[in-house]
């Protein structure tokens, strides 16, 4: 009953915002013709003339693995009665291919910047109803107008971070150059004990950065050079891995990995010798976003917007970054995170490092050339 009471409180709050009608039927209420809980419900529904939508009671979030504190789902369910079930992907391309292939049933997805651009262009995202997301005002100004989604029309920034090299300090020297991966020395202690991300754009970005090229090049010759470099590097590689690279370091099975900063920082809790660096040639900077697929039903969309609003709560935003060790786009959450977190250069890269970071951008038709060359890398026997 407590849950229903709080669900009703939340619905009443939304009612004030003109979003839904809270009825005496609670979760089982199906239409706005049921006995309303209050006169305001009648007034509101009549005055807007809109059909009230009830949020779905269960929605699915399609997210990167280990990218949210499960406690956040529990708190959201306690507050709203809405249950969130999670499904995982390991790369933008995997998520995109699944949705392009017709997969439905997802109410929330977490694409990176360049994938938001692709999905917007393909009409795959639902426009957000900002009236359902009042906590949008908690975003830092720079995240209110990101180039891939000005004005947060389709998505809300979730976490941001960098791609570089994690390593076991003391076992290997600080890798100052991507040469540790691209000029592998068969006599080095790390030979055969490092991984690269199983991710077409990320792995090509590392090779292109090492070659001194733009990571979004559409010059086929440059891309071929990068492909050949990736194939050469394969000789010393333990494998391509986007899900357990940090655990393999923590277990000291591997000693070096190409990967995302927060994942390494979380693994530091298990093995304090793990360190993270961005080589002198530079690395990738990215912003992941929470968005709603165009295929979501109105009920799923409302529940998803309620969850996005919940994520933007200062305390919840802080919980998210404390769990992930990724930087927060939420200014109000940053105020809670505190100085130690905000001044960690592995989380918030200082200006001189930021200068060396590039965003992956959509390359249009050329995307298929990247994919073909990536297939060649994956199937090559160096
Ligand atoms: C999840 C990390 C995902 C970040 N563990 C990649 N953009």
């Amino acid at each position: 009953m407590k849950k229903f009471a709080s669900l009703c409180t939340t619905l009443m709050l939304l009612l004030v915002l003109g979003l839904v009608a809270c009825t005496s039927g609670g979760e089982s209420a199906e239409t706005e013709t049921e006995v309303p809980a209050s006169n305001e419900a009648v007034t509101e529904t009549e005055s807007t003339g809109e059909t009230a939508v009830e949020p779905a009671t269960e929605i699915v979030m399609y997210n990167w693995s280990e990218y949210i504190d499960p406690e956040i789902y529990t708190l959201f369910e306690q507050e709203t009665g809405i249950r969130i079930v999670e499904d995982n992907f390991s790369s933008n391309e995997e998520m995109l291919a699944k949705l392009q292939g017709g997969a439905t049933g997802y109410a929330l997805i977490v694409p990176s910047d360049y994938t938001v651009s692709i999905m917007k262009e393909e009409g795959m995202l639902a426009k957000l109803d900002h009236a359902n997301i009042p906590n949008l005002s908690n975003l830092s100004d720079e995240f209110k107008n990101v180039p891939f989604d000005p004005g947060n029309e389709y998505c809300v920034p979730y976490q941001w971070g960098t791609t570089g090299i994690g390593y076991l300090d003391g076992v290997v020297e600080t890798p100052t150059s991507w040469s540790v991966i691209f000029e592998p020395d068969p006599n080095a202690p790390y030979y055969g004990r490092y991984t690269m991300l199983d991710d077409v754009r990320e792995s090509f970005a590392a090779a292109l950065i090492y070659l001194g090229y733009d990571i979004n090049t559409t010059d086929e010759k440059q891309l071929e050079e990068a492909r050949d470099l990736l194939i050469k590097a394969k000789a010393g590689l333990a494998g391509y891995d986007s899900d357990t690279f940090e655990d393999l370091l923590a277990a000291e099975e591997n000693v070096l990995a190409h990967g995302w900063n927060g994942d390494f920082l979380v693994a530091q809790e298990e093995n304090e010798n793990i360190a993270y660096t961005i080589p002198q040639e530079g690395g990738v900077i990215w912003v992941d976003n929470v968005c709603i697929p165009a295929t979501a039903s109105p009920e799923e969309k409302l529940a998803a917007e309620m969850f996005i609003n919940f994520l933007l709560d200062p305390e919840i935003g802080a919980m998210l970054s404390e769990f992930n060790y990724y930087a927060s786009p939420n200014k109000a959450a940053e105020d809670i995170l505190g100085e130690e977190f905000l001044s960690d250069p592995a989380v918030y890269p200082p200006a001189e490092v930021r200068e060396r970071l590039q965003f992956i951008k959509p390359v249009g038709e050329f995307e298929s050339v990247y994919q073909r060359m990536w297939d060649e890398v994956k199937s090559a026997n160096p």
Side-chain angles (χ1 to χ4, degrees), residues 64-67 112 260 263 286 288 326:
W64 302 80
S65 51
E66 294 170 60
Y67 208 17
S112 304
W260 299 302
D263 289 47
W286 44 262
D288 289 339
Y326 283 112

Side-chain angles (χ1 to χ4, degrees), residues 217-240:
T217 185
T218 52
D219 177 327
E220 203 154 334
K221 286 263 164 304
Q222 293 183 349
L223 212 57
E224 276 167 3
E225 250 184 88
R227 174 202 59 195
D228 294 345
L229 193 59
L230 285 163
I231 292 175
K232 187 173 122 196
K234 251 184 120 172
L237 213 61
Y240 295 104

Side-chain angles (χ1 to χ4, degrees), residues 35 45 58 165 168 174 178 238 274 348 368:
V35 186
T45 310
E58 181 172 305
I165 297 179
L168 281 185
T174 306
W178 286 102
I274 293 178
Y348 288 85
S368 63

Side-chain angles (χ1 to χ4, degrees), residues 20 59 143 148 193 199 203 212 214 238 253 356 378:
V20 295
I59 53 172
F143 290 100
F148 52 87
R193 295 177 69 193
D199 188 301
S203 283
D214 180 342
E253 198 171 307
R356 292 184 273 125
K378 296 286 289 285

Side-chain angles (χ1 to χ4, degrees), residues 63-67 90 92 110 112 163 199 202 242-243 245-246 260 262-263 286-288 324 326:
N63 197 356
W64 302 80
S65 51
E66 294 170 60
Y67 208 17
S90 306
N92 282 291
V110 190
S112 304
T163 315
D199 188 301
E202 285 280 18
S242 299
D243 291 321
F245 61 88
E246 75 283 21
W260 299 302
D263 289 47
W286 44 262
V287 179
D288 289 339
N324 286 331
Y326 283 112

Side-chain angles (χ1 to χ4, degrees), residues 166-361:
Y167 61 101
L168 281 185
D169 199 16
V171 179
V172 285
E173 277 173 37
T174 306
T176 53
S177 164
W178 286 102
S179 65
V180 291
I181 286 177
F182 295 118
E183 308 292 341
D185 171 6
N187 298 316
Y190 60 81
Y191 197 78
R193 295 177 69 193
Y194 58 90
T195 54
M196 285 195 81
L197 288 172
D198 190 1
D199 188 301
V200 51
R201 294 300 309 273
E202 285 280 18
S203 283
F204 265 100
L208 289 164
I209 287 171
Y210 182 60
L211 291 168
Y213 298 145
D214 180 342
I215 65 170
N216 301 299
T217 185
T218 52
D219 177 327
E220 203 154 334
K221 286 263 164 304
Q222 293 183 349
L223 212 57
E224 276 167 3
E225 250 184 88
R227 174 202 59 195
D228 294 345
L229 193 59
L230 285 163
I231 292 175
K232 187 173 122 196
K234 251 184 120 172
L237 213 61
Y240 295 104
D241 186 324
S242 299
D243 291 321
T244 60
F245 61 88
E246 75 283 21
D247 304 324
L248 295 169
L249 273 197
E252 306 208 353
E253 198 171 307
N254 286 337
V255 295
L256 200 132
H258 165 227
W260 299 302
N261 60 331
D263 289 47
F264 291 119
L265 300 176
V266 170
Q268 254 175 5
E269 280 172 19
E270 242 179 274
N271 187 329
E272 58 180 22
N273 294 327
I274 293 178
Y276 175 76
T277 190
I278 295 187
Q280 66 203 13
E281 299 92 348
V284 172
I285 180 167
W286 44 262
V287 179
D288 289 339
N289 308 271
V290 59
C291 323
I292 303 176
T295 50
S297 70
E299 293 76 12
E300 287 171 328
K301 182 169 183 277
L302 176 57
E305 285 167 340
M306 287 166 70
F307 187 63
I308 292 174
N309 193 54
F310 191 70
L311 286 174
L312 285 168
D313 174 272
E315 299 283 348
I316 301 298
M319 261 179 93
L320 189 65
S321 278
E322 270 160 11
F323 181 85
N324 286 331
Y325 270 87
Y326 283 112
S328 179
N330 182 338
K331 175 78 185 75
E334 283 187 331
D335 294 343
I336 296 173
L337 282 163
E339 211 28 55
E340 203 189 318
F341 188 84
L342 301 181
S343 62
D344 186 338
V347 184
Y348 288 85
E352 73 270 16
V353 175
R354 259 186 109 144
E355 276 169 21
R356 292 184 273 125
L357 301 172
Q358 300 179 56
F359 274 99
I360 295 175
K361 301 218 174 93

